[in-house]
Amino acid sequence: MRGGTLLLGAALLGAVSTVLPAQERGELTTVLDSIAVVGARRVAVTRILAVSGLPVGQEISYRDVQRAITALYETGQFDDVRISQGEVDGRRILQIEVVERPQLAGWSVRGVERLGERSVRGKIRLQEGRPYDPAAVRRSLAAVDSLYRREGYYRASIRARELPQSDGSLRLVFDVDEGRRVAISQIVVEGNEVFDDGTVAGRMKTGTEGFWWFQRGEYNETDLDRDLRERLPAFYGSRGHIDFRVRRDTLLVNEATGKGTLVLAVDEGARYDVGSLEIIGNRRFSTEQLEQFYPFTPTGGGFLGLGGTREGPVVFDEEKWDRATQDVRTLYGNNGYLYADVRPIVTRRTSGAGANLVDLRWQILEGDPATIRRVDIVGNSVTHESVIRRATFPLVPGDVFRQDALIRAYQNVSNLGFFQQPLEIPQIQPTENRVDVDVVFRVEERRTGNINFGASVGQGTGLGGFIGLDEPNVLGRGKRIQFQWQFGRNISDFNITYSDPAIRGSLISGSLNLHSTRLRYTIADLGRIRTRGGSIQVGFPFFGSRYTRMLTTYTIEESDYDSPTLSPRFNCTNCLLSAVGVALVRDTRVDLPFATGGAYHEARFSLNGGLLGGDGAFRRATFEGRWYAPLGQLGGSRPGSNPIKFVLALKAEAGFVWGDAGPHFRQLFALGGTQYGVQLRGYDEFSVTPAGFDPGASGSRANTVDAFGASYFTSTSEIGMRISQMLYLSAFFDAGNVWSTPGRFNPTRLFRGAGLGIAVVSPLGPIGIDYAYGFDRTNFIGDPAPGWKLHFKLGNIF
């Protein structure tokens, strides 16, 4: 419409030129007596006159009229603009006639199912309440069509329907017919000679449809782009073809069937073997030290790559070369050379024998080692800065900057649990002298405390309720207070704990616990147990280590035991437990509460009774080790992201009691289940005894006297998937046993269980469900009776 109007405007300008008086020099001009506006309803006449810029009483030419038409069109308010001139009673009047565009009252999208409606709507760039713009509608249609094609929906069609409204406005409806997604039935590779089509296609995420349900062959332009730019070049580069390139990719779609053939035209290039290595510019580390990172050594044959000599040429592997270069950079970064520039240079040449070789060089510009001038904390509105600085202790102002120290400090701050996750990557800001650096930690507070209440059920205590309070960051000082009251017909448990990780700002930690408990067990008839008491614990850094602490503990409890099935020595009134203990704990875990790296070691020893008073005289020792090894991750390559992580976890525990425990049978060890004693999944509580498996442990017939032992051992192997800080999935294998005395300890005879588990972090703490298979269960006559067992656990994380 606009093109036709411009032609009409040109014709009018010609007409105007014929009636305007001619000047002896220059172009034709005229003087207007007045200007009239026709067709304006929504747009004010004064605005039209102002935009046109045509004056009354002054000379104007056809150029002024042309500029007026252009200016009015550019407002986006009109579909057509016409300008004409006439005379009334000898007065020259210019008439501006406009056709206004309707106002866009709103728009909607229909028919979107396979793609997210939000992503489709994001491609439509129309503003409600503005004049309707057909060109913007066409651009939006093209953008939505491109989105569907990029996701493989080549048969999708998008249409915009105009719905006039009674008030003159207009509504738009975008009708989407998604059609079927293109399924790739075949991948054809042209130009390949070294690797066949199947090998090349097997290295791509883009695949063909097949027999299995997951072989859909769906076309995704983003995945294909990564295949062509990253995966295929990496595959060929790791096999010496560093000049590989994809010359062309074409998708041929059968419109009738929706099937597609992906055709790739490639240039494999020559294969290169490794030539010489040269290292220049290194002063901090010797050439011999850096050569240890060189991945193409002439040795490497034999078992596990030890011993032997490679015969023949070594094929260049671009991926190995890049990793080795990054290792050298990390070496420099961990020793303060933050600004070191390690440049990997690959020079191609042809040997005298005609072989294609690459000569490798690390060209190093070391610079000066960087030192930490300042460590800044930004964003903490609740948590005191001293709490965060205790976590960033590997980074000390004045020390040489090290990347491994930065990573450890970042993990420590994340482990506090006081800030939103994932934590933003610390910023390294160079100073003016290009030698010192400032490290900036940016944090965002999150609510840490919680009050919880509700119903509870215990396998040994029945139905009850609970009220709890947990605040791990009291007054922003990093101190913790926990209160829990569990009540019911068979249970009344009051427990309060206060912990301070840095007493008066020192490196000494402390905790105080008070509790009062009444239990009446409904299984494994342990009878009634009443306990009142508390403990105090003080911790010190072990030889100055921030990860290893020496803990000293004193515990005093008064208990009443009343059970018809317990031995008389376990039945008592006002029995006193007085014990002093010492522990050595080292914790380097990361990504808590579901660790994905590091280790945890704990050794505890306590003396009970004797000179300390109380009933019973015994010594108790427990040992525990947990080890975590990352296996890989999905996504999260961007710093500060939250990827899905896979981890291999191992755990081993052992415990011993020497002497006479007297009435304090709970200081001995019970094995089985997940709630009462030592965890062994696939078996009921108290079912693994020093005498073997007890099939009656799940009922009241359990022999509770024989269920407790004076030594035990358990181990767990687990492959876990940490989806987030709140969700963890695992596959595990447990093994363990309990013995009547420490002398009978024999970790070669263990009960085995395996299964799957899920754990979530709730306001009550970690809650888990495990479904495990006990391999060594038996029936009442001793025959094998393996089976499954469902376990619920609260607060127990691997």
Side-chain angles (χ1 to χ4, degrees):
M1 182 181 291
R2 179 173 177 174
T5 304
L6 287 175
L7 292 174
L8 178 59
L12 289 172
L13 287 172
V16 170
S17 299
T18 60
V19 299
L20 294 178
Q23 306 296 322
E24 293 182 359
R25 293 182 179 87
E27 59 190 25
L28 298 176
T29 62
T30 188
V31 177
L32 300 176
D33 295 316
S34 63
I35 301 176
V37 177
V38 178
R41 295 181 178 85
R42 186 170 42 80
V43 184
V45 172
T46 54
R47 184 186 176 191
I48 295 175
L49 293 175
V51 171
S52 70
L54 296 175
V56 176
Q58 298 182 20
E59 290 187 349
I60 65 170
S61 69
Y62 78 94
R63 296 183 185 276
D64 298 313
V65 176
Q66 190 178 46
R67 282 194 293 267
I69 293 175
T70 301
L72 289 171
Y73 269 121
E74 288 177 347
T75 63
Q77 299 283 354
F78 310 108
D79 274 332
D80 195 6
V81 178
R82 303 183 183 187
I83 297 180
S84 59
Q85 182 198 3
E87 288 191 12
V88 178
D89 298 331
R91 294 169 55 85
R92 292 180 178 143
I93 300 174
L94 191 72
Q95 178 175 291
I96 302 176
E97 183 178 356
V98 296
V99 177
E100 294 180 334
R101 287 178 172 174
Q103 196 171 35
L104 183 62
W107 57 271
S108 59
V109 179
R110 297 178 182 175
V112 177
E113 295 180 359
R114 293 184 173 90
L115 298 188
E117 184 171 330
R118 185 174 182 179
S119 61
V120 174
R121 294 179 66 90
K123 296 297 182 180
I124 299 175
R125 303 305 175 95
L126 298 177
Q127 295 185 8
E128 298 180 359
R130 299 281 297 173
Y132 173 70
D133 186 354
V137 173
R138 289 191 293 272
R139 289 193 297 269
S140 298
L141 290 173
V144 174
D145 183 69
S146 296
L147 174 65
Y148 272 94
R149 292 178 69 88
R150 188 164 59 250
E151 296 297 326
Y153 293 91
Y154 275 72
R155 303 179 70 184
S157 63
I158 303 94
R159 181 171 64 94
R161 289 193 294 116
E162 300 177 358
L163 303 177
Q165 305 296 299
S166 58
D167 60 356
S169 62
L170 191 68
R171 295 190 65 87
L172 278 181
V173 176
F174 290 89
D175 287 322
V176 180
D177 181 6
E178 295 178 321
R180 290 181 55 189
R181 194 171 195 172
V182 170
I184 300 176
S185 60
Q186 186 180 13
I187 297 178
V188 177
V189 184
E190 299 174 350
N192 55 316
E193 298 178 357
V194 180
F195 301 103
D196 58 34
D197 291 15
T199 302
V200 175
R203 297 294 172 169
M204 300 168 59
K205 186 174 182 180
T206 303
T208 60
E209 60 181 354
F211 173 77
W212 300 105
W213 75 92
F214 56 84
Q215 294 177 308
R216 299 179 179 178
E218 294 180 342
Y219 175 83
N220 184 289
E221 192 169 294
T222 302
D223 290 340
L224 179 61
D225 185 59
R226 289 198 61 185
D227 287 334
L228 305 185
R229 289 189 300 105
E230 300 176 18
R231 297 185 182 97
L232 288 183
F235 167 69
Y236 271 92
S238 65
R239 288 152 178 81
H241 295 268
I242 57 178
D243 294 330
F244 168 84
R245 65 188 181 94
V246 179
R247 293 188 289 108
R248 184 181 68 258
D249 65 283
T250 306
L251 180 64
L252 305 176
V253 180
N254 187 319
E255 295 292 340
T257 64
K259 306 294 184 180
T261 299
L262 180 62
V263 181
L264 303 179
V266 303
D267 182 0
E268 293 179 317
R271 193 197 78 173
Y272 288 88
D273 297 329
V274 176
S276 63
L277 171 68
E278 182 182 15
I279 303 176
I280 61 175
N282 54 309
R283 292 177 291 116
R284 172 62 176 83
F285 300 101
S286 67
T287 299
E288 290 74 17
Q289 288 176 297
L290 297 181
E291 283 179 344
Q292 295 178 10
F293 296 94
Y294 183 61
F296 307 113
T297 55
T299 60
F303 178 67
L304 295 179
L306 302 175
T309 303
R310 280 197 188 96
E311 296 182 359
V314 178
V315 178
F316 177 66
D317 187 330
E318 193 171 35
E319 185 177 355
K320 285 184 179 180
W321 174 244
D322 292 339
R323 283 201 305 265
T325 302
Q326 185 57 46
D327 290 341
V328 174
R329 292 185 180 125
T330 301
L331 175 68
Y332 274 95
N334 287 340
N335 287 271
Y337 289 83
L338 181 63
Y339 304 112
D341 183 11
V342 181
R343 298 181 183 178
I345 298 176
V346 178
T347 304
R348 297 164 175 79
R349 67 179 173 90
T350 303
S351 68
N356 297 306
L357 300 176
V358 288
D359 293 330
L360 306 177
R361 177 193 300 171
W362 278 323
Q363 184 171 308
I364 303 173
L365 180 62
E366 293 180 341
D368 295 319
T371 57
I372 302 173
R373 185 182 71 171
R374 192 171 65 239
V375 178
D376 294 331
I377 313 295
V378 179
N380 53 313
S381 56
V382 176
T383 306
H384 283 242
E385 189 167 305
S386 59
V387 175
I388 306 175
R389 289 197 178 278
R390 285 199 299 269
T392 64
F393 68 85
L395 298 176
V396 179
D399 279 1
V400 172
F401 175 85
R402 305 190 324 274
Q403 288 183 357
D404 56 349
L406 177 68
I407 294 172
R408 185 69 226 191
Y410 173 80
Q411 294 170 340
N412 290 345
V413 176
S414 296
N415 284 348
L416 289 175
F418 303 157
F419 310 110
Q420 296 290 347
Q421 298 294 327
L423 198 68
E424 184 177 330
I425 296 296
Q427 294 180 351
I428 304 171
Q429 299 178 345
T431 58
E432 299 79 6
N433 58 16
R434 294 288 294 177
V435 176
D436 299 333
V437 294
D438 295 334
V439 181
V440 181
F441 284 82
R442 297 187 180 275
V443 298
E444 181 181 352
E445 301 275 6
R446 72 176 182 185
R447 288 183 292 181
T448 55
N450 63 79
I451 298 176
N452 52 79
F453 55 89
S456 65
V457 59
Q459 194 168 355
T461 57
L463 184 64
F466 61 88
I467 299 175
L469 167 68
D470 183 12
E471 175 51 72
N473 192 17
V474 178
L475 301 178
R477 297 284 184 179
K479 308 177 193 301
R480 185 170 204 142
I481 184 168
Q482 294 173 289
F483 164 77
Q484 188 79 21
W485 179 31
Q486 200 170 354
F487 52 87
R489 178 180 179 182
N490 300 313
I491 184 171
S492 177
D493 183 10
F494 178 88
N495 194 305
I496 185 169
T497 302
Y498 174 77
S499 304
D500 189 344
I503 298 176
R504 300 180 66 86
S506 68
L507 298 179
I508 301 174
S509 63
S511 66
L512 175 66
N513 171 266
L514 300 173
H515 62 270
S516 176
T517 304
R518 175 187 59 81
L519 299 176
R520 181 176 182 273
Y521 286 93
T522 60
I523 68 165
D525 191 10
L526 296 177
R528 295 180 177 86
I529 301 174
R530 297 180 179 86
T531 303
R532 302 165 297 279
S535 64
I536 185 170
Q537 178 176 276
V538 180
F540 309 87
F542 188 69
F543 289 107
S545 172
R546 295 287 188 129
Y547 302 108
T548 308
R549 298 187 74 78
M550 179 75 73
L551 307 174
T552 58
T553 308
Y554 178 71
T555 302
I556 184 168
E557 288 182 354
E558 187 180 69
S559 302
D560 299 331
Y561 300 103
D562 179 16
S563 172
T565 64
L566 291 177
S567 171
R569 68 190 183 94
F570 289 117
N571 284 284
C572 69
T573 303
N574 297 331
C575 299
L576 183 65
L577 172 68
S578 178
V580 62
V582 62
L584 189 65
V585 178
R586 179 172 176 80
D587 190 356
T588 60
R589 293 173 295 174
V590 297
D591 283 338
L592 295 176
F594 304 116
T596 60
Y600 177 86
H601 302 92
E602 177 186 294
R604 291 184 177 271
F605 180 79
S606 64
L607 293 172
N608 305 265
L611 296 176
L612 299 172
D615 300 290
F618 60 96
R619 303 173 305 281
R620 191 175 194 268
T622 58
F623 306 92
E624 180 179 354
R626 306 184 188 191
W627 302 270
Y628 304 87
L631 297 178
Q633 67 181 48
L634 293 177
S637 57
R638 179 178 54 84
S641 59
N642 193 20
I644 296 175
K645 296 184 178 181
F646 297 90
V647 60
L648 171 64
L650 304 174
K651 180 174 73 171
E653 290 184 63
F656 306 90
V657 172
W658 298 273
D660 182 10
H664 305 295
F665 70 92
R666 293 195 301 167
Q667 295 297 313
L668 300 174
F669 308 108
L671 193 62
T674 60
Q675 296 190 34
Y676 181 85
V678 180
Q679 173 176 284
L680 183 62
R681 290 165 289 190
Y683 299 84
D684 287 295
E685 311 287 333
F686 307 102
S687 64
V688 179
T689 75
F693 177 74
D694 180 7
S698 60
S700 60
R701 297 176 61 254
N703 189 339
T704 56
V705 175
D706 295 332
F708 292 87
S711 63
Y712 84 96
F713 174 82
T714 62
S715 66
T716 297
S717 302
E718 180 173 289
I719 294 179
M721 181 171 66
R722 179 188 181 274
I723 297 178
S724 69
Q725 270 202 326
M726 308 295 290
L727 180 60
Y728 181 79
L729 306 179
S730 63
F732 57 82
F733 180 85
D734 288 351
N737 205 349
V738 61
W739 298 273
S740 57
T741 65
R744 295 179 179 272
F745 182 82
N746 182 7
T748 63
R749 299 186 62 184
L750 303 175
F751 290 84
R752 301 161 301 159
L756 303 174
I758 180 172
V760 298
V761 175
S762 73
L764 306 181
I767 296 177
I769 299 176
D770 295 319
Y771 193 50
Y773 186 82
F775 294 95
D776 302 305
R777 293 163 56 169
T778 61
N779 58 24
F780 285 98
I781 61 175
D783 292 335
W788 291 94
K789 178 67 180 177
L790 184 65
H791 300 280
F792 297 90
K793 59 186 180 182
L794 176 62
N796 192 7
I797 290 182
F798 181 86

